[in-house]
Amino acid sequence: MTTQTTPPKSPDIPAAGAPAGLIGIPERIARALATGGGVLAVVSTFLAWTWTDEFPGDLTFYGYPGGLQVLVLIGGALTALFGLATYGVKGLGWLTPAGGDAALKLTSLATFATAWYTVLAISFRLGGVVNLEPGGYVVAVVTLAGVLGALALPFERPEPDPIDPEASRGERFRHDAAHGWHVVKASFAAGTPRPLRRLPASLEILVIVGILAVCLLVFTYGIGTEYDELFIGFLITAGFCFAALHKAGLIAHATRITARHQNITICGAFVAAACFPFTQTDDQYATIGVYILIFATVALGLNIVVGLAGLLDLGYVAFLGVGAYAAALVSGSPSSPFDVHFPFWAAVLVGALASLVFGVLIGAPTLRLRGDYLAIVTLGFGEIFRIAANNLDGTSGPDLTNGSNGVSSVPDLEILGFDLGVHHVIGGVTIGRFANYFFLMLLITAVVVLVFRRSGDSRIGRAWVAIREDETAALAMGIHGFRVKLIAFAVGATLAGLAGTVQAHVTYTVTPEQYLFAGAIPPNSAFLLAAVVLGGMGTIGGPLIGAALLFLIPNKLQFLGNYQLFAFGLALVLLMRFRPEGLVPNRRRQLEFHEEAAAPDVLSKTGA
Amino acid sequence: MTALLEVEDLRVAYGKIQAVKGISFTVDAGEVVTLIGTNGAGKTTTLRTLSGLLKPVGGQIRFRGKSLKKIPAHEIVSLGLAHSPEGRHIFPRMSIEDNLRLGAFLRSDKAGIEKDIQRAYGLFPILGERRKQAAGTLSGGEQQMLAMGRALMSQPQLLMLDEPSMGLSPIMMQKIMATIAELKEQGTTILLVEQNAQAALSLADQGHVMEVGNIVLSGSGRELLHDESVRKAYLGED
Ligand SMILES: Nc1ncnc2c1ncn2[C@@H]1O[C@H](COP(=O)(O)OP(=O)(O)OP(=O)(O)O)[C@@H](O)[C@H]1O
Ligand SMILES: [Mg+2]
């Protein structure tokens, strides 16, 4: 968002565009408060916040920040850095290519929200504010002072729209509310980023390594959070700090650097991901890791269908199921009617082929029709697959899938003499069963990423976009719409099947209930679609981040229980309202959503 | 020698509405042929039928001696018939260069494609300057240039342009017409549908005047330009 330059006004009109903060404190004091608040917040994390270790994370020590204090420490440190950068301290200029005030506000909010959340959580859990040590009060006061200071920082106020003097009270209220919202938005608006000095390539690569390391750290930290409060604190801090980095212009800068070295970035990301099991002491979190990876890989496959080709597939999880069942049936499982035990490479081929066949069978009759029909047919197929798998149990139908009990005891894989079912010690680190599968899954992810990139940039990828944008013109270019769509659909199905073959082995058992349209546990079709839309259609990073969030949030916040789907729906509605292009926007999509005044309408855009 | 394109008694209907009621004309290689006529005369319908976007009710279309009636749209392009549809129909959210590449969708000679992209930039320098920009951000006239450049990318034997001057300023229009003349010099065969009868007829070797689904008058460009009834009806003279 760029600040608007207001036309020169006649002097007698009160200067609406004049800089002023949301709170009336002189700028110098406000800035000092905000920056000082950050510094003091850091200091206060070295104090004890509570007297007992009954609150998880043990915040009773002087000199050792622990648990939620670490998050406040990070928020405070970033606040202090951004604060100093807005003073023009030498050597910090690179932190704020798009101006530091908005970032300062957001990091102050991050620190404030996390600190107050912690203090309140302590009081609630232990029954009253008496459980706070002086440190708790200190952090509450300094972060409050900091955030007040930050909000008092001046910004360019937008002019209110003129209002009809005869407007009714309701209209007046709506007008004022809209203006208030514009003012709040303007107070967090960043300036136009000024270009940073271009670094030599080797330094840029070093920056990429640094970025990836931070990402790995944040991700490992998020996965490893052991109690609800810490995870919520993590989400608060991470969310606000990410927004702050974005407003400071650092994300845009990082995007530019990674875009210049795309191959290195992608390889680096895989190396970073492969490092993840080595950061873990036991297999507990590798389990989460491998499930996230399965979910994310399938979401990425779906992104080819939805994001690139614009085909709305509501039953995508069924293709994962086809692959998983196919692999399980030829795995030598005792509940499989086939008495065969294929080597893994053959099982992968069988699974991928089976999904391909189903993809073509479903796609061929429906892709000739308009997009809406495809959505309905795929929705139906998803359900038919699950119900059929339930019924092919030998009593209601031929014996194939062992009904609702599923194909169980799928044996562990052995690839080139490497048994994935037992732990191995590599370089002094124990790599457990799930970590083994994590590595295998990472390979599959790499395949999907490769297919995604190659097809996205290729002739066929351009044809997908062309069909989505203007079918008539695409036909006039000689693009065979049906064939091109069928390729997308079949490729998507095959990749899901590929992931399914690994999933069958990871979960030991393949049951129909793993492949629902919507359910509390991802992957299911609704969550897959949500991961794509939420993360960013047509991008690689989007579905990966979307899937990680959608897996971790329900997994970590068990207390949400029955409200989980409600919270999920609410979050999705809010995101679609305020950031319809998803967390990681695709350049082309962004044009779609922000150049036209038309209301975003994701599903109709992806249809047809 | 047979003509490049032969249309014989072509009839097209939208349900009960007969839009083209049996027209015949030919286009020889190297010629510029123009179709002019009032709004709703069936010019666009004719072009859309030739490129396979519509199926005719009756009649014959032969391109390079081959009947097009049973051939789907995407294969007609590969035979060498390019269509720049009415109202530009560029891909607004793709870059200019990607738009051009899509024009060459059916070709696989990489070097040739690159050469032709450069040729399009040569014809329309503004496209070259903005090659990475989203096509939707171009002005109307520039979009028209892009649509023409894109149609040329398939190396067509016959280029069909539907109202390339639609909505353009007189200067832009002259530029487009000059480009069409330049393409003609280079030997491209063109079937041109235009509202601007003056410009189209001065350029064309052959012209046909359409009225409510029929060709009512044919002749060389020069003849039609001096024809009494044409002057009255299309050049606004009485
Ligand atoms: N999709 C359609 N459905 C029904 N009728 C149509 C359709 N498209 C065109 N028509 C009708 O067919 C007739 C011929 O239309 P066409 O678009 O070919 O005219 P045109 O000569 O290109 O006119 P203009 O110079 O205004 O572009 C018109 O009466 C029009 O209303
Ligand atoms: Mg027309």
Side-chain angles (χ1 to χ4, degrees):
Chain A
M1 228 158 283
T2 54
T3 44
Q4 299 263 314
T5 47
T6 42
K9 298 178 282 284
S10 53
D12 51 66
I13 299 173
L22 287 174
I23 300 171
I25 307 177
E27 178 179 356
R28 273 184 40 210
I29 303 177
R31 197 174 297 284
L33 265 180
T35 313
V39 175
L40 289 177
V42 171
V43 173
S44 65
T45 59
F46 288 86
L47 307 175
W49 288 6
T50 178
W51 61 275
T52 159
D53 60 5
E54 267 174 52
F55 188 78
D58 202 356
L59 313 178
T60 61
F61 284 108
Y62 282 85
Y64 290 101
L68 281 153
Q69 286 175 326
V70 176
L71 293 170
V72 175
L73 174 79
I74 294 169
L78 273 174
T79 311
L81 278 177
F82 278 124
L84 291 176
T86 61
Y87 276 111
V89 173
K90 269 216 164 53
L92 291 180
W94 61 272
L95 268 176
T96 54
D101 279 3
L104 183 54
K105 283 173 199 169
L106 283 164
T107 46
S108 292
L109 270 175
T111 324
F112 168 73
T114 317
W116 277 68
Y117 170 72
T118 312
V119 168
L120 290 177
I122 294 174
S123 309
F124 272 109
R125 195 185 250 231
L126 304 182
V129 286
V130 289
N131 296 294
L132 294 177
E133 285 283 300
Y137 292 106
V138 171
V139 77
V141 171
V142 298
T143 52
L144 180 64
V147 84
L148 289 179
L151 290 180
L153 288 173
F155 60 94
E156 201 93 13
R157 274 174 188 267
E159 301 241 19
D161 292 330
I163 183 164
D164 180 1
E166 276 154 40
S168 69
R169 276 195 21 211
E171 277 170 349
R172 235 169 243 284
F173 175 76
R174 224 170 305 137
H175 175 266
D176 291 348
H179 179 62
W181 171 241
H182 284 309
V183 171
V184 172
K185 249 171 57 176
S187 76
F188 287 100
T192 343
R194 73 189 139 77
L196 285 179
R197 194 157 33 89
R198 199 163 160 180
L199 300 167
S202 54
L203 269 185
E204 285 195 339
I205 290 167
L206 221 62
V207 171
I208 292 174
V209 172
I211 293 171
L212 289 173
V214 171
C215 290
L216 177 65
L217 211 70
V218 171
F219 182 72
T220 340
Y221 187 88
I223 274 197
T225 49
E226 273 162 349
Y227 44 98
D228 294 349
E229 286 87 350
L230 190 59
F231 185 72
I232 293 177
F234 166 75
L235 283 185
I236 296 174
T237 309
F240 277 113
C241 287
F242 181 82
L245 295 179
H246 178 68
K247 292 289 178 188
L250 284 177
I251 300 289
H253 198 60
T255 312
R256 226 167 297 133
I257 293 183
T258 49
R260 266 202 291 271
H261 306 275
Q262 218 174 25
N263 290 327
I264 293 177
T265 308
I266 289 181
C267 293
F270 275 103
V271 173
C275 286
F276 168 70
F278 291 99
T279 64
Q280 302 297 312
T281 42
D282 64 29
D283 224 21
Q284 186 192 351
Y285 295 124
T287 320
I288 298 183
V290 74
Y291 283 129
I292 289 181
L293 212 49
I294 291 173
F295 182 24
T297 309
V298 182
L300 191 57
L302 179 61
N303 204 13
I304 295 184
V305 182
V306 174
L308 294 184
L311 304 168
L312 185 55
D313 187 341
L314 294 179
Y316 193 63
V317 84
F319 296 117
L320 177 73
V322 170
Y325 265 105
L329 288 177
V330 298
S331 68
S333 150
S335 43
S336 159
F338 308 114
D339 193 16
V340 289
H341 188 167
F342 281 19
F344 182 60
W345 63 264
V348 164
L349 278 185
V350 169
L353 263 177
S355 287
L356 173 69
V357 168
F358 273 96
V360 173
L361 280 182
I362 304 301
T366 43
L367 286 169
R368 291 181 197 278
L369 305 172
R370 280 216 342 264
D372 321 356
Y373 297 102
L374 180 70
I376 295 167
V377 170
T378 49
L379 183 64
F381 168 63
E383 289 304 287
I384 290 169
F385 167 77
R386 184 172 59 82
I387 294 166
N390 238 325
N391 287 339
L392 296 175
D393 57 358
T395 43
S396 2
D399 183 18
L400 182 64
T401 62
N402 201 22
S404 58
N405 293 327
V407 185
S408 54
S409 313
V410 178
D412 272 308
L413 288 172
E414 198 178 306
I415 300 172
L416 303 174
F418 186 89
D419 186 351
L420 276 82
V422 297
H423 63 82
H424 300 264
V425 177
I426 299 173
V429 183
T430 311
I431 296 300
R433 174 179 183 272
F434 285 103
N436 292 332
Y437 281 108
F438 181 86
F439 288 125
L440 179 63
M441 201 53 221
L442 206 55
L443 271 181
I444 305 274
T445 312
V447 171
V448 178
V449 168
L450 196 74
V451 172
F452 188 98
R453 286 199 66 203
R454 300 292 301 186
S455 58
D457 291 341
S458 69
R459 202 168 143 259
I460 188 100
R462 276 196 295 276
W464 287 335
V465 182
I467 291 273
R468 216 175 59 205
E469 293 217 320
D470 191 331
E471 189 137 14
T472 310
L475 271 173
M477 301 296 97
I479 296 169
H480 190 334
F482 168 69
R483 189 182 302 158
V484 166
K485 286 183 195 168
L486 189 60
I487 290 175
F489 202 72
V491 167
T494 312
L495 294 178
L498 203 62
T501 56
V502 177
Q503 192 206 25
H505 291 275
V506 175
T507 55
Y508 295 113
T509 309
V510 183
T511 61
E513 297 313 311
Q514 287 169 329
Y515 307 103
L516 297 172
F517 169 70
I521 317 156
N524 52 61
S525 294
F527 267 59
L528 282 167
L529 198 62
V532 170
V533 175
L534 195 123
M537 279 193 273
T539 64
I540 294 180
L544 300 184
I545 292 174
L549 281 177
L550 282 183
F551 190 91
L552 274 183
I553 291 176
N555 192 283
K556 290 286 182 184
L557 301 183
Q558 302 280 356
F559 71 87
L560 276 178
N562 292 336
Y563 296 104
Q564 220 178 71
L565 280 177
F566 171 72
F568 164 64
L570 192 69
L572 209 57
V573 169
L574 286 178
L575 196 89
M576 285 304 103
R577 169 65 188 78
F578 294 108
R579 204 175 161 83
E581 69 274 37
L583 296 173
V584 182
N586 172 291
R587 211 164 30 89
R588 206 174 276 142
R589 288 272 168 191
Q590 226 168 1
L591 275 179
E592 223 161 282
F593 286 122
H594 291 296
E595 253 214 350
E596 312 159 351
D601 185 357
V602 177
L603 294 189
S604 74
K605 281 256 159 59
T606 54
Chain B
M1 196 195 98
T2 57
L4 184 62
L5 176 73
E6 289 171 88
V7 176
E8 219 182 284
D9 191 30
L10 181 68
R11 277 166 289 132
V12 193
Y14 298 101
K16 280 190 187 140
I17 307 169
Q18 288 216 352
V20 174
K21 301 171 182 167
I23 59 169
S24 307
F25 64 93
T26 58
V27 180
D28 285 331
E31 259 190 344
V32 172
V33 174
T34 183
L35 291 180
I36 57 173
T38 47
N39 292 125
K43 307 179 296 291
T44 298
T45 305
T46 307
L47 291 201
R48 287 173 61 86
T49 311
L50 293 181
S51 65
L53 296 174
L54 293 173
K55 290 292 150 220
V57 177
Q60 270 301 326
I61 307 168
R62 270 187 300 275
F63 183 61
R64 296 159 71 192
K66 200 170 169 180
S67 171
L68 293 188
K69 268 178 78 177
K70 293 254 155 56
I71 302 182
H74 58 96
E75 280 174 32
I76 290 182
V77 182
S78 64
L79 290 177
L81 197 83
H83 181 189
S84 170
E86 182 173 19
R88 305 193 190 102
H89 279 293
I90 54 147
F91 302 108
R93 289 163 213 124
M94 302 180 89
S95 72
I96 289 167
E97 188 151 328
D98 279 351
N99 264 275
L100 291 175
R101 279 184 199 287
L102 273 167
F105 182 76
L106 292 174
R107 290 169 60 186
S108 49
D109 54 324
K110 271 201 164 148
I113 292 175
E114 293 309 320
K115 222 180 88 206
D116 281 356
I117 287 182
Q118 293 313 320
R119 183 172 91 130
Y121 292 158
L123 273 175
F124 308 107
I126 187 81
L127 299 183
E129 286 163 29
R130 311 254 179 104
R131 62 186 72 185
K132 293 277 175 241
Q133 201 170 308
T137 63
L138 292 174
S139 82
E142 291 159 356
Q143 292 187 15
Q144 191 62 61
M145 296 177 187
L146 178 59
M148 268 174 80
R150 191 183 59 183
L152 281 170
M153 288 299 296
S154 65
Q155 286 184 319
Q157 311 234 350
L158 174 59
L159 175 63
M160 302 196 293
L161 301 172
D162 197 346
E163 297 201 31
S165 70
M166 188 197 250
L168 300 190
S169 69
I171 297 206
M172 243 345 167
M173 209 199 78
Q174 273 176 15
K175 237 171 154 172
I176 292 279
M177 287 300 161
T179 313
I180 294 174
E182 197 177 326
L183 289 173
K184 180 186 171 184
E185 287 298 303
Q186 293 171 9
T188 313
T189 313
I190 295 170
L191 177 57
L192 174 66
V193 164
E194 255 301 333
Q195 285 296 339
N196 187 322
Q198 171 86 43
L201 289 174
S202 0
L203 231 140
D205 300 298
Q206 287 288 321
H208 305 279
V209 181
M210 280 188 82
E211 252 165 45
V212 284
N214 291 304
I215 291 184
V216 292
L217 194 62
S218 301
S220 76
R222 181 184 292 268
E223 277 164 24
L224 289 180
L225 207 48
H226 294 106
D227 184 274
E228 194 70 17
S229 58
V230 171
R231 295 190 76 84
K232 252 193 188 149
Y234 301 105
L235 302 176
E237 291 177 14
D238 7 51

